[in-house]
Amino acid sequence: MTTPYSLIKEGLMNKAELLSWLQEEQQQWEAFLAQIGPERMDQPGVAGDWSIKDIVAHLTDWQPRQIARLQAAQRGEPEPLPPWPAHLQTDDEINAWIYAANHGRSVREVLDRSQQVFQQQLAAIEGLPADIQIEPAYHIMQLNGQRFSMSEFFDHFHDDHEAEIRAWLARVEKQ
């Protein structure tokens, strides 16, 4: 029998496994940031003109929308508006807005915000029913007819930014 909180499929992970996976990914992320070091986080040129700080802000600022959507679904409410201006429609427009909103912030502010948003994500997941089932391939779950990827931050980092950051770091470390 299908419930609004689960996907009936073989090989699913549960909430505890998802939380454990997220915390492991977060530990690896923090270790990677520590390897980079705060003194290098403002250096441009990692991805175009973007610095590590800009990439962290970029990855972080997509998450509040996901968290708000998940919380609304938990309460049975309609999907909330995104945190960016409504006229922004494409990923490039939204990314430019995120960059402009965060570029003047200090490294500490951006890292603190990233940690706060991660904690908000954990809290939202902890509020889910214990029997929720998650597709492990992309950490996707279904809640009240909506699909949510709980690994968006880390998947996007690994798929789209990790290689260029590691290449940049290798160049910087040789200097």
Side-chain angles (χ1 to χ4, degrees):
M1 174 179 206
T2 304
T3 71
Y5 295 109
S6 64
L7 293 171
I8 307 303
K9 192 173 180 181
E10 293 296 320
L12 299 176
M13 73 181 348
N14 64 34
K15 181 173 86 169
E17 292 167 327
L18 173 63
L19 288 167
S20 177
W21 177 83
L22 283 169
Q23 290 166 335
E24 288 173 26
E25 282 286 321
Q26 182 70 12
Q27 288 173 353
Q28 292 172 16
W29 169 249
E30 289 175 5
F32 186 52
L33 294 177
Q35 178 187 355
I36 294 166
E39 67 284 350
R40 293 190 283 213
M41 294 225 180
D42 261 337
Q43 291 179 12
V46 179
D49 291 336
W50 284 20
S51 66
I52 296 294
K53 179 191 79 168
D54 298 324
I55 294 171
V56 171
H58 157 75
L59 291 167
T60 299
D61 277 10
W62 280 93
Q63 296 310 300
R65 179 174 191 214
Q66 177 82 325
I67 294 165
R69 287 182 61 239
L70 178 60
Q71 291 168 330
Q74 285 172 306
R75 297 186 299 264
E77 297 172 356
E79 186 170 319
L81 295 173
W84 43 80
H87 70 277
L88 302 177
Q89 298 297 309
T90 69
D91 288 352
D92 287 343
E93 291 171 333
I94 295 164
N95 286 336
W97 180 83
I98 290 170
Y99 175 85
N102 288 286
H103 189 67
R105 292 190 172 152
S106 72
V107 169
R108 183 78 271 143
E109 288 172 308
V110 168
L111 293 177
D112 287 349
R113 173 149 167 73
S114 183
Q115 184 59 237
Q116 290 166 355
V117 169
F118 178 73
Q119 293 304 318
Q120 290 168 359
Q121 181 184 25
L122 290 180
I125 293 168
E126 287 169 352
L128 294 169
D131 65 346
I132 191 141
Q133 298 291 300
I134 298 102
E135 295 176 33
Y138 297 102
H139 302 91
I140 294 176
M141 61 178 204
Q142 185 171 318
L143 179 64
N144 293 332
Q146 295 181 55
R147 291 174 60 85
F148 299 90
S149 171
M150 297 290 92
S151 63
E152 195 170 286
F153 180 101
F154 296 114
D155 288 345
H156 183 57
F157 164 67
H158 292 307
D159 294 345
D160 299 317
H161 297 289
E162 186 174 15
E164 69 187 341
I165 293 171
R166 289 191 184 280
W168 170 83
L169 185 58
R171 287 190 309 272
V172 168
E173 287 179 341
K174 286 181 183 178
Q175 296 174 358

